[in-house]
Amino acid sequence: MTSGATTTQEVRALEWTNNRLRLLDQTLLPTRVEYHELERWPQVVTAITSMQVRGAPALGVAGAYAVVLAAQELQLLPLPEFREKLTHAATTISAARPTAVNLGWAVSCTMGAWDAATDTSQAIALFLAEAQKIEREDIEANHAIGEHGSALIPAGATVMTHCNAGALATAGYGTALGVIRTAWAQGKLKGVIATETRPLLQGARLTTWELTQAGIPTTLIVDSAAASVMRNGKVSAIVVGADRIAANGDVANKIGTYSLAVLAKAHNIPFYVAAPMSTVDLDTQTGDQIVVEERAAAEVSSPQGVKAAPDEVGIFNPAFDVTPAEYVSAIITENGAFTAPYSDSLQVGAKSRG
Ligand code: MRU
């Protein structure tokens, strides 16, 4: 199943319609399924910072369409002013969340389409074509990731995943959940163990919702149950997504990923990272250079708006961690599954980029 089409069970995190960005508000899931239609680029920035849209590839697609919205908004300005204000918008959009490389990458690809334009309306058409290409290619990449990843999953497997790297986090199908969807479609999968993923509960709220809709048997555990679940022999493989992969194979992903990787090694469980090549950042040499976003203290002190800690307590809330490459069994991309040494294999993967 390598077609770029999404299947009927899949939800769309975002889509371009009537010159607007229609976006599923993921902060409301699983209680409410509500879409917002965004007409202005600052609304997309707010949607990104408030996590209405999240997940590295989905952030990239949202960023690309935000550039189109900005260009639409500014199109009546004289050319020099149009350029200046659009560049400012692009910089602000890219900076909305720092860790996921896909955001800055997609904004810069979209802005790059400008080079072929002679006026603002032509620029808008080129920006839109580029954003739609990024969206389309992300779905295609995810289907290919699914095929390459499923080949690594043994028959009758139970796969553990963390956070949400599914259709909700991408243009469609998902990366880690793409592997899971394909393995399920191929009859290899017994079920999935999803970690709840504190503090914003992307595993509990989003992954279980998405997998349940796809009819894939899913068990939710609290993050701190992962070690004993692994020790009890219940996990055949762990598959997670990524926000940025450095040239040496170090992987930035949702906080808690590193703990799972260390635990996987201790229990002889393969630990796979599934991500499109657009998440591989060959300009970042090692994970030490990756900027890890810190988010508001209230996400920890008042989870889901319910006060859980005294006001006086200090809070540290990094949204991501970096898993050293030595813990990663393979990085599954649309161009194949790559193994260590990643400084060599990821270069090969990048060269085979379509
Ligand atoms: O803070 P989030 O929800 O944007 O974090 C998402 C993740 O960490 C995902 O695992 C990653 O972006 C990959 S999504 C295919």
Side-chain angles (χ1 to χ4, degrees), residues 117-174:
T118 49
D119 59 39
T120 56
S121 58
Q122 200 185 11
I124 293 168
L126 290 168
F127 290 152
L128 180 58
E130 182 64 23
Q132 287 172 327
K133 178 167 170 267
I134 289 169
E135 180 180 8
R136 194 176 54 247
E137 288 182 351
D138 186 57
I139 298 172
E140 287 167 5
N142 292 340
H143 282 272
I145 287 169
E147 294 289 337
H148 293 306
S150 178
L152 299 171
I153 304 295
T158 297
V159 171
M160 179 181 278
T161 191
H162 186 56
C163 193
N164 172 267
L168 288 167
T170 61
Y173 202 67

Side-chain angles (χ1 to χ4, degrees), residues 26 48 51 53-59 97 100 102 138 142 161-170 174-177 197 200 202 205-206 240-244 252-255 257 274-276 279 293 295 319-320:
Q26 297 189 32
I48 289 172
M51 309 284 290
V53 60
R54 32 67 52 200
L59 290 173
R97 290 194 76 195
N102 306 62
D138 186 57
N142 292 340
T161 191
H162 186 56
C163 193
N164 172 267
L168 288 167
T170 61
T175 56
L177 296 198
T197 317
L200 293 183
Q202 289 94 330
R205 295 188 304 105
L206 308 178
V240 297
D243 282 79
R244 191 182 293 250
N253 191 50
K254 180 52 55 193
I255 190 77
T257 302
T279 301
E293 176 188 5
R295 294 189 57 86
F320 302 97

Side-chain angles (χ1 to χ4, degrees), residues 31-305:
T31 318
R32 273 167 36 217
V33 178
E34 208 172 291
Y35 287 84
H36 302 309
E37 292 207 356
L38 310 183
E39 288 177 84
R40 303 195 55 237
W41 70 267
Q43 295 176 308
V44 184
V45 172
T46 304
I48 289 172
T49 53
S50 65
M51 309 284 290
Q52 290 174 21
V53 60
R54 32 67 52 200
L59 290 173
V61 177
Y65 283 123
V67 171
V68 183
L69 290 177
Q72 285 181 173
E73 241 175 285
L74 300 168
Q75 69 175 311
L76 296 179
L77 293 175
L79 210 54
E81 218 179 317
F82 174 82
R83 255 180 192 278
E84 189 197 324
K85 292 217 154 80
L86 190 66
T87 304
H88 163 74
T91 308
T92 310
I93 297 161
S94 295
R97 290 194 76 195
T99 305
V101 67
N102 306 62
L103 178 56
W105 167 82
V107 167
S108 130
C109 289
T110 309
M111 288 293 282
W114 167 268
D115 293 341
T118 49
D119 59 39
T120 56
S121 58
Q122 200 185 11
I124 293 168
L126 290 168
F127 290 152
L128 180 58
E130 182 64 23
Q132 287 172 327
K133 178 167 170 267
I134 289 169
E135 180 180 8
R136 194 176 54 247
E137 288 182 351
D138 186 57
I139 298 172
E140 287 167 5
N142 292 340
H143 282 272
I145 287 169
E147 294 289 337
H148 293 306
S150 178
L152 299 171
I153 304 295
T158 297
V159 171
M160 179 181 278
T161 191
H162 186 56
C163 193
N164 172 267
L168 288 167
T170 61
Y173 202 67
T175 56
L177 296 198
V179 173
I180 285 169
R181 282 178 196 277
T182 305
W184 175 251
Q186 293 175 348
K188 296 169 105 177
L189 199 69
K190 195 159 120 205
V192 174
I193 295 173
T195 52
E196 62 178 350
T197 317
R198 296 225 161 205
L200 293 183
L201 303 180
Q202 289 94 330
R205 295 188 304 105
L206 308 178
T207 293
T208 61
W209 185 77
E210 198 181 316
L211 291 179
T212 307
Q213 291 211 335
I216 301 175
T218 304
T219 303
L220 177 65
I221 59 169
V222 297
D223 296 332
S224 43
S228 66
V229 170
M230 286 189 217
R231 187 174 163 81
N232 291 340
K234 294 195 172 125
V235 183
S236 321
I238 300 176
V239 187
V240 297
D243 282 79
R244 191 182 293 250
I245 300 173
N248 72 341
D250 290 350
V251 174
N253 191 50
K254 180 52 55 193
I255 190 77
T257 302
Y258 178 28
S259 332
L260 294 180
V262 173
L263 288 169
K265 193 162 205 164
H267 295 95
N268 272 321
I269 297 167
F271 182 85
Y272 299 121
V273 174
M277 286 307 298
S278 55
T279 301
V280 177
D281 178 9
L282 294 178
D283 294 333
T284 295
Q285 296 312 308
T286 75
D288 292 343
Q289 292 160 12
I290 297 176
V291 176
V292 171
E293 176 188 5
E294 277 181 45
R295 294 189 57 86
E299 289 181 355
V300 177
S301 60
S302 301
Q304 305 299 297

